Amino acid sequence: MAALAYNLGKREINHYFSVRSAKVLALVAVLLLAVCHLASRRYRGSDSCEYLLSSGRFLGEKVWQPHSCMMHKYKISEAKNCLVDKHIAFIGDSRIRQLFYSFVKIINPQFKEEGNKHENIPFEDKIASVKVDFLWHPEVNGSMKQCIKVWTEDSVAKPHVIVAGAATWSIKIHNGSNEALSQYKMNITSIAPLLEKLAKTSDVYWVLQDPVYEDLLSENRKMITNEKIDAYNEAAVSILNSSTRNSKSNVKVFSVSKLIAQETIMESLDGLHLPESSRETSAMILMNVYCNKILKPVDGSCCQPRPPLTLIQKLAACFFTLSIIGYLIFYIIHRNAHRKNKPCTDLESGEEKKNIINPSVSPLEVFLQSFCKLGLIMAYFYMCDRANLFMKENKFYTHSTFFIPIIYILVLGVFYNENTKETKVLNREQTDEWKGWMQLVILIYHISGASTFLPVYMHIRVLVAAYLFQTGYGHFSYFWVKGDFGIHRVCQVLFRLNFLVVVLCIVMDRPYQFYYFVPLVTVWFMVIYVTLALWPQIIQKKANGNCLWHFGLLLKLAFLLLCICFLAYSQGAFEKIFSLWPLSKCFELKGNVYEWWFRWRLDRYVVFHGMLFAFIYLALQKRQILSEGKGEPLFSSKISNFLLFISVVSFLTYSIWASSCKNKAECNELHPSVSVVQILAFILIRNIPGYARSVYSSFFAWFGKISLELFICQYHIWLAADTRGILVLIPGNPMLNIIVSTFIFVCVAHEISQITNDLAQIIIPKDNSSLLKRLACIAAFFCGLLILSSIQDKSRH
């Protein structure tokens, strides 16, 4: 009765809300959000530098998140590279001196805070040719004015960056009198034009005064109150902003330190000076303001302009525009002659059935329609991760942000369970389910920034290995059973794996290796194909007639293992192979193939393990050793119980080992050899009991069917800054933002999956002569792409 009610309720829901209606809702959401963000930028301004200097919040205790953009944490080498041949000057009181020390320590962490505090302090790195000076001017007076005035003279070398600020000494010396505030206003009024003149050639920042913690102030500082500090800050902002009549002031007000201090001043030792962590944050903000536009770090979106369109991107935009125009013309002309064949909705699953191209629908129409939709989707990709239309934020890991969503999706997955159509080991529904829940866990891992937590990282490495295990298992099984080594099968697989990535490489201006998983599965597919297709071709039908063929296949697999071991321990040979042109264009990242070698080596044995498992399983199945009937255990009761016990122990043992990892490099070294233990343990636990093999989670299986698209799309429309940050569609409400961005992201991934399937039927026909012509066109396309890419590379250098 409960099952009947469940099915009726599901039918009712799916009658009104299908995948198609979800996609329409996602499109409306994207349009509304784009309009809102455009209006917001027009009203509030689009300069992310202003947000970086004026607003933000803490993620946790010490991680500062600027409003709407991402802040890069600069390393020593990066800081020196940015500031080479530069002179930076800090002018002010003891608080500015603190900021000076924190800034210098980004360049040289060994620099010590010593010497007379009330004197000028120089710093110079002669190797990097970086000069940073602190000039002691605790009051805004004639002395500070004279120092600044000298730099305005044409004959004097000017600092590239000037950071100034002072007020607390004026409050202290004059006992917080109103006359001192009036004098401060007069002095800053006389200095403002000089700062404005300097700001035309240098970056000038005026640092507002941070609040104090009045309870901790000593008796001789009790007159420094937050009320007085606010009055001085208001005076400084008012005068600096009005120093230019007809345009915006070039002097940038550094007010974000006030927000930082409000959260951390309680940790101050004397109530006046900020704790070290707060000073480091302010110094890093200064570094981001100046260096982001020079070095353009991927995870430093603040103060970065939109990257200029490359020649290839412009050509891609023209192609998609022509596709949209072409489809509209085609549709208008043929709307009466051809009625569109609407895909029927499966009310049971809520999913549109796989599109089958109607003979009455022209392949050209399907082609133009697919690229029309893809063009609109790629526009969304570009808006999210290149156009600076939507906001981005840094990731921040906590255990709750990872484990709570995991528990939530597991509950959902268990709730949506159905009977499988067949009860074989690793049947289609089960592998889709496996890919689905693994993909959801990997997505949560990425968006939560859980890679910083080593036990989670090691378990996620097993999930990636399990995907590759399925690659070995699935493709070996197909070739072994079907014996289909035709070019059509190869082209179909390669197209489905690589189509989206090739488009993204063009639109997002990223190398092929950037989407590392697709090159990985592509290469392993070709390895499996070559291993089995080369003479002698050994398939199950042939081997059944003579057991020696099984031995021959094992020799092939042994030779493959030998080649894997050789390349794994011979980095030079591996790099020479993949550094050859044109392979180097596919597998190089940042000018070398090390990243590709590292990724390949990390899971080097698991595809082989998948092939070997498929061979053993199919051999046992052929000899009817396995019991794969509905509800039946895979083996006899004793053997099944024994294997289940061993599997559970092995599974838990691996988890305990992975959770006790202390060094990522050492654990990565062991991972290729031991990851198969947990994979095999999971397969046995999932398949030995008959009841477990007879059911599957339709929730996870649905996601499993689009797992590849989900993995690739997350780079730009769920995460941001090439996976380094999080896309923010709805600022100020992280929970709602995740819900909306996830909904759009899943709809886009599903649509791309359907587009890929439609185009695969057109571009990869079954007729060999037509297929060869298409392959010639594809080869010409990639040759043109290589030529254009080479031209682009030369123009960049």
Side-chain angles (χ1 to χ4, degrees), residues 187-260:
N187 291 339
I188 202 167
T189 301
S190 65
I191 287 175
L194 301 176
L195 292 174
E196 195 63 41
K197 186 176 180 180
L198 279 173
K200 293 178 181 178
T201 55
S202 305
D203 285 4
V204 180
Y205 305 94
W206 185 267
V207 181
L208 296 186
Q209 294 301 298
D210 303 327
V212 295
Y213 191 44
E214 296 180 17
D215 294 345
L216 282 179
L217 291 173
S218 58
E219 287 301 321
N220 63 340
R221 290 174 175 166
K222 286 292 184 182
M223 69 292 296
I224 306 174
T225 63
N226 287 322
E227 184 181 352
K228 291 291 181 184
I229 285 174
D230 289 341
Y232 275 72
N233 283 338
E234 287 173 13
V237 171
S238 175
I239 293 166
L240 290 171
N241 286 338
S242 62
S243 60
T244 53
R245 294 180 180 178
N246 300 321
S247 61
K248 190 176 179 180
S249 174
N250 291 317
V251 178
K252 301 177 180 70
V253 176
F254 192 86
S255 59
V256 70
S257 60
K258 285 174 51 186
L259 296 178
I260 297 169

Side-chain angles (χ1 to χ4, degrees), residues 590-630:
K590 299 178 181 178
N592 59 68
V593 296
Y594 173 78
E595 180 72 14
W596 166 234
W597 180 77
F598 171 77
R599 294 287 187 184
W600 177 86
R601 192 172 183 270
L602 201 54
D603 294 299
R604 56 188 179 272
Y605 300 129
V606 75
V607 174
F608 171 80
H609 291 145
M611 295 170 70
L612 189 61
F613 176 82
F615 173 71
I616 295 169
Y617 163 66
L618 292 170
L620 293 175
Q621 186 187 60
K622 193 68 180 177
R623 283 157 180 75
Q624 298 181 345
I625 295 173
L626 305 176
S627 301
E628 294 184 302
K630 189 171 183 179

Side-chain angles (χ1 to χ4, degrees), residues 123-142:
F123 167 81
E124 186 172 6
D125 189 319
K126 293 183 179 179
I127 298 173
S129 190
V130 179
K131 187 179 180 183
V132 187
D133 291 324
F134 168 71
L135 305 175
W136 173 252
H137 292 282
E139 288 191 87
V140 180
N141 54 19

Side-chain angles (χ1 to χ4, degrees), residues 385-517:
D385 212 16
R386 291 294 178 272
N388 293 335
L389 174 63
F390 299 119
M391 301 177 181
K392 302 171 186 176
E393 288 189 355
N394 295 87
K395 299 176 186 178
F396 178 69
Y397 176 74
T398 61
H399 292 320
S400 60
T401 57
F402 177 74
F403 289 105
I404 290 176
I406 293 290
I407 294 168
Y408 180 70
I409 64 158
L410 287 177
V411 170
L412 278 176
V414 171
F415 180 74
Y416 288 95
N417 66 81
E418 296 179 13
N419 293 327
T420 58
K421 293 176 182 177
E422 56 181 355
T423 55
K424 292 181 180 180
V425 172
L426 292 180
N427 56 67
R428 184 58 183 268
E429 289 101 337
Q430 191 184 124
T431 53
D432 281 340
E433 174 202 87
W434 192 7
K435 286 189 287 186
W437 71 256
M438 287 195 302
Q439 185 57 62
L440 292 176
V441 171
I442 289 171
L443 290 173
I444 294 169
Y445 163 82
H446 281 151
I447 203 165
S448 64
S451 59
T452 57
F453 186 48
L454 192 53
V456 171
Y457 166 82
M458 291 308 301
H459 282 86
I460 296 298
R461 288 295 343 145
V462 176
L463 300 190
V464 175
Y467 266 104
L468 294 171
F469 181 93
Q470 285 195 50
T471 297
Y473 171 82
H475 292 306
F476 178 92
S477 298
Y478 179 86
F479 290 127
W480 175 248
V481 175
K482 301 280 187 182
D484 178 11
F485 296 100
I487 191 171
H488 178 263
R489 165 69 181 178
V490 175
C491 292
Q492 279 275 338
V493 172
L494 292 179
F495 182 86
R496 291 174 189 275
L497 286 176
N498 290 275
F499 172 70
L500 175 58
V501 165
V502 170
V503 173
L504 286 177
C505 288
I506 293 169
V507 173
M508 306 304 288
D509 189 29
R510 283 293 174 263
Y512 179 62
Q513 181 54 35
F514 174 74
Y515 306 94
Y516 75 93
F517 187 74

